[in-house]
Amino acid sequence: MTKEKKILLCALFISSCVVLGRILSVRTPIITIGFAFVPIIFSAIILGPKYSTFVAVISDIIGSLLFPTGSYFFGFTITSFLTGLTYGLILHRKEFKINKDFIIRLIISAVLVCSLYNGVLNTIWVFIITKGASKIVLPIRILKQLIMMPVIVLTILLTCKALEERIKKLVND
């Protein structure tokens, strides 16, 4: 794949991530439910860890600047960095196949991202921002991540199945 095509795909993934994460997500004062993970995971599958990390970080920064939900906090960008890197390292392969190995890697990456990054790190960032005042939301944050794990896996599996030939063409390009 040419460098120009990779840059174009990154731009597409970044804009999709901002729209899915900031505009088409459901926000409450306690939690946000959205599908910003989809473009990050597809950038990981198609382009690899370097690009998926870039997509995750830049979409977090652009989303924070264009659609702020409070003051900017760098901790969430660290979480985005780790999320993009983890998906990229675990899901990117030279050839794309939806098989048992892919499903296992997808589950592992979703568990890591939901539990360690979104569950632990983001909760720490929220505690720092609110000076510990948000301890009452901890059970809700845990429940959300337990729900999001299978949602991520099923959404990506169904989308990959629907776009399997196109993904193979991009990965093998």
Side-chain angles (χ1 to χ4, degrees), residues 68-119:
T69 57
S71 60
Y72 175 77
F73 184 71
F74 187 70
F76 295 111
T77 305
I78 293 170
T79 301
S80 295
F81 173 87
L82 292 170
T83 298
L85 183 64
T86 300
Y87 282 133
L89 290 172
I90 295 175
L91 295 176
H92 182 69
R93 295 293 180 264
K94 298 229 184 266
E95 288 188 27
F96 176 76
K97 293 179 186 175
I98 300 175
N99 55 18
K100 185 178 177 183
D101 177 57
F102 175 75
I103 294 169
I104 290 170
R105 289 185 286 116
L106 180 60
I107 292 169
I108 290 169
S109 63
V111 168
L112 283 172
V113 168
C114 286
S115 62
L116 289 180
Y117 308 149
N118 296 340

Side-chain angles (χ1 to χ4, degrees), residues 9-72:
L9 284 171
C10 277
L12 176 69
F13 289 134
I14 289 168
S15 60
S16 300
C17 197
V18 170
V19 169
L20 290 170
R22 300 292 176 150
I23 298 172
L24 298 178
S25 61
V26 176
R27 293 187 175 279
T28 70
I30 300 171
I31 60 171
T32 300
I33 299 171
F35 289 91
F37 62 87
V38 174
I40 295 170
I41 292 175
F42 275 102
S43 66
I45 292 169
I46 296 167
L47 300 171
K50 180 170 62 171
Y51 290 96
S52 61
T53 303
F54 179 76
V55 166
V57 168
I58 297 302
S59 62
D60 176 70
I61 293 169
I62 290 173
S64 296
L65 293 173
L66 293 178
F67 307 100
T69 57
S71 60
Y72 175 77

Side-chain angles (χ1 to χ4, degrees), residues 39 53 78 124 143 167 173:
T53 303
I78 293 170
I124 291 170
L143 179 63
I167 296 170
D173 188 17

